[in-house]
Amino acid sequence: MLNQNSRDVEHVNSKSDDDDALKALGYQPTFKREFRNLATISFAFSIMGVCSSIATTFDTPMFLGGPSSVVWCWILGATMCLTLGASIAELVSAFPTAGGLYTASAQLVPSEKRAVVGWIVGWLNMLGQVAGVSSTEFGLSNMIWAAVVVAKNGQYEVTQGKVVGLFAALLIVHGILNSLGTKYLARFTSSFVFINIGATILIIITLLACTKRSEMHSAQYVFGTTGVLNQTGGWNSGIAFLFGLLSVQWTDYDATGGVLEEVQRAAIAAPIAIFVAVIGTGLIGWLLNIVLVLCSGPIDALPGPAGLAMIEIMFIRIGRGGTLFLWVWVCLTAFFVVQTALQACSRTFYAFSRDHGFPDRGLLGTMSVSTGTPLVAVWFVTILSILPGLLDLASPTAAQAVFALTAVALDISYIVPIFCRRWFRNHPEVHFTPGPFSMPGLLGWTANCMCILWTIFVAVILSLPTILPITPQNFNYASVITAAVMILSGLWYFLGGRSHYKGPAITHNPGHASVPAPDAASAHSQESK
């Protein structure tokens, strides 16, 4: 009884501290903090969806740069993304709000730049997240139909209508699930990490057990120059090799920051969850990639009738029954990725609307009385995420172009506040107070600089067309769309947005704020005066 009472007191104190920190940032607490440590870590792992992400992106490095590109680009990208994850975790710890890095961006620049920086970062982050939800769900639809093809022994035709129809139905299901209260979302999410990691380890063990040693590829093929196969049609082998970075970069590292107002001890739990998830996903994903390449067989036999190399490798080594059983768990991890991504995305839209970023009079920033969650934002994001998939019926090239927005737009939205923190560090209006999770001195500078340079480098690589010669069908529209989003959002801001949007409602020095604004509207009102 004493222990239970102690836990209850600790919970109350933790919630009070979290709410005080949120009020100091200019926001009135509205969410219920039901995400404890396990649910938060599970959320962070699930958004990265290691085996499902590899399942949907494995073909790109395998068929452009070759097996060695699969293996080395993953660990290279995972290592560099550790600096990005640590930098994001540091900002999330200092600014534990539903807006994540979007909210942080305003505190890290002088007052006259707050609104325009928050506006551009917010739009890039929101559109990148929507593209991520849509593309992951589209990938899940393809994964499910691939299982049907395997079950029918290749004698089944998958049409675009079937893929898009299942895609839309799955998004509706996720919209319904995200309409639950935070308590139920936290309980549901807590199991994700075990299925995610468990499925990956089970696939690794089964593939190794079912593949004869004589049929495994050599170390030179997996790790060496024998495994460098340039199949881009014109790029040099170095560029072809680097195209493998898409697999590890296709991840939303800031998604955990979107649910910070639902997390207990948010300033500590969320950044640690991000950091642990980045390390865990990097190592487990690398092992899975090595085993897939090791057991892949002749590359000419891939990707097989299902159109996905990973399921074909499993089918060759494990057989139909075992493959379908394991593939259910792979699909479940993808299902969990969309579940968590949709939740995080809806919270970002909620935060942007709460700050008067949309001309919706705060509609998307309203909370449901019955569930304690932003239902309007949930369903707005759900319907918005369906649109790119429907576009696939008219133009698959255009749909893929929208999907390609994910990595580039998100990565840019990540590094802007990281850059601003360092660039304006000595400005009299910028007062950055580190949270409980922070990197000291040289370590922090090194991590921040490395992740900025790496992200710019990767954005260039991921913006290149992967196949030469360039045609309208294979042109990579990621950079074009990202630039268009930045330009159009900037024009919208100067032509009308700035009349209602003044930036995230943050006090000038949240670490020492004595009289926090009671809510976002109040903060804006005080600023305008």
Side-chain angles (χ1 to χ4, degrees):
M1 178 63 71
L2 182 60
N3 290 337
Q4 181 61 48
N5 289 338
S6 298
R7 285 194 293 268
D8 290 342
V9 171
E10 182 181 355
H11 170 65
V12 172
N13 290 339
S14 172
K15 182 179 184 299
S16 177
D17 291 343
D18 284 327
D19 290 347
D20 287 345
L22 187 62
K23 290 176 181 177
L25 290 171
Y27 296 106
Q28 183 68 24
T30 53
F31 287 94
K32 294 181 179 180
R33 295 187 181 274
E34 301 287 354
F35 276 72
R36 299 195 178 186
N37 290 342
L38 177 59
T40 306
I41 291 174
S42 185
F43 189 99
F45 262 100
S46 298
I47 197 68
M48 298 181 187
V50 56
C51 65
S52 60
S53 293
I54 290 174
T56 52
T57 60
F58 182 82
D59 291 16
T60 297
M62 189 69 171
F63 300 125
L64 292 177
S68 287
S69 174
V70 174
V71 173
W72 288 116
C73 279
W74 179 276
I75 194 61
L76 171 63
T79 301
M80 297 306 297
C81 285
L82 181 59
T83 65
L84 180 60
S87 298
I88 290 173
E90 192 173 37
L91 294 182
V92 163
S93 181
F95 305 98
T97 76
L101 294 187
Y102 148 69
T103 306
S105 64
Q107 180 64 17
L108 300 170
V109 296
S111 58
E112 73 274 8
K113 295 180 173 61
R114 179 185 303 173
V116 67
V117 170
W119 178 273
I120 293 176
V121 170
W123 273 106
L124 281 172
N125 195 265
M126 287 186 296
L127 293 178
Q129 287 190 53
V130 169
V133 170
S134 188
S135 59
T136 306
E137 195 78 280
F138 204 83
L140 174 58
S141 179
N142 278 305
M143 289 164 62
I144 293 173
W145 285 118
V148 174
V149 172
V150 170
K152 298 289 185 179
N153 201 27
Q155 304 303 309
Y156 187 85
E157 182 183 1
V158 179
T159 65
Q160 286 303 107
K162 292 176 181 177
V163 174
V164 173
L166 179 58
F167 155 83
L170 287 168
L171 270 172
I172 296 298
V173 171
H174 279 114
I176 294 172
L177 289 175
N178 267 286
S179 298
L180 299 173
T182 302
K183 177 174 66 175
Y184 303 104
L185 289 173
R187 290 178 181 175
F188 186 38
T189 304
S190 296
S191 63
F192 292 177
V193 64
F194 302 108
I195 295 175
N196 201 330
I197 297 176
T200 306
I201 294 174
L202 188 59
I203 291 171
I204 290 171
I205 293 173
T206 306
L207 279 174
L208 291 175
C210 294
T211 305
K212 296 179 181 179
R213 181 66 185 86
S214 60
E215 295 179 357
M216 292 183 180
H217 286 291
S218 66
Q220 188 67 16
Y221 182 83
V222 178
F223 300 103
T225 55
T226 305
V228 178
L229 306 173
N230 186 346
Q231 302 182 84
T232 61
W235 287 111
N236 63 53
S237 295
I239 296 296
F241 183 85
L242 290 172
F243 283 143
L245 292 170
L246 173 64
S247 185
V248 70
Q249 290 296 139
W250 195 52
T251 302
D252 186 356
Y253 297 93
D254 181 40
T256 308
V259 296
L260 283 172
E261 293 180 32
E262 298 163 84
V263 173
Q264 294 178 16
R265 300 171 66 247
I268 300 174
I272 290 177
I274 293 172
F275 196 73
V276 171
V278 171
I279 295 175
T281 299
L283 294 176
I284 296 172
W286 192 40
L287 186 57
L288 177 58
N289 274 309
I290 291 172
V291 172
L292 284 171
V293 172
L294 189 67
C295 304
S296 61
I299 195 171
D300 294 340
L302 303 176
L308 287 175
M310 181 170 167
I311 194 173
E312 182 66 16
I313 293 168
M314 293 169 62
F315 175 70
I316 293 170
R317 300 306 180 190
I318 306 172
R320 182 179 294 107
T323 296
L324 292 176
F325 172 77
L326 291 174
W327 199 249
V328 169
W329 301 101
V330 177
C331 290
L332 269 177
T333 62
F335 187 88
F336 297 154
V337 172
V338 182
Q339 175 67 19
T340 49
L342 181 58
Q343 182 182 351
C345 186
S346 65
R347 274 41 172 186
T348 305
F349 273 77
Y350 161 85
F352 200 65
S353 176
R354 180 175 62 179
D355 291 331
H356 311 293
F358 298 114
D360 64 342
R361 298 189 177 182
L363 179 62
L364 297 179
T366 57
M367 298 287 288
S368 168
V369 176
S370 59
T371 66
T373 56
L375 288 184
V376 178
V378 167
W379 283 101
F380 180 81
V381 171
T382 300
I383 294 171
L384 189 63
S385 299
I386 292 176
L387 298 181
L390 297 179
L391 184 62
D392 190 73
L393 294 174
S395 173
T397 301
Q400 292 302 317
V402 175
F403 294 156
L405 176 69
T406 305
V408 177
L410 283 178
D411 283 352
I412 293 175
S413 74
Y414 296 155
I415 65 171
V416 169
I418 296 171
F419 172 81
C420 289
R421 180 203 164 179
R422 296 299 180 182
W423 186 260
F424 294 108
R425 67 190 183 282
N426 295 323
H427 196 283
E429 293 181 357
V430 177
H431 305 280
F432 176 74
T433 303
F437 182 95
S438 63
M439 294 179 288
L442 183 60
L443 177 62
W445 266 97
T446 302
N448 292 166
C449 293
M450 287 179 67
C451 78
I452 291 171
L453 294 174
W454 173 254
T455 301
I456 293 172
F457 170 72
V458 168
V460 172
I461 295 298
L462 298 185
S463 298
L464 297 174
T466 55
I467 300 294
L468 297 178
I470 300 173
T471 67
Q473 286 69 41
N474 65 29
F475 182 72
N476 189 338
Y477 292 91
S479 59
V480 177
I481 296 179
T482 303
V485 168
M486 296 179 71
I487 293 171
L488 291 176
S489 66
L491 286 175
W492 183 2
Y493 171 76
F494 286 108
L495 293 178
R498 59 180 173 175
S499 64
H500 54 81
Y501 179 76
K502 306 302 178 184
I506 295 182
T507 57
H508 282 286
N509 193 355
H512 301 89
S514 57
V515 186
D519 53 37
S522 173
H524 282 293
S525 175
Q526 292 175 12
E527 183 178 288
S528 63
K529 292 178 182 179

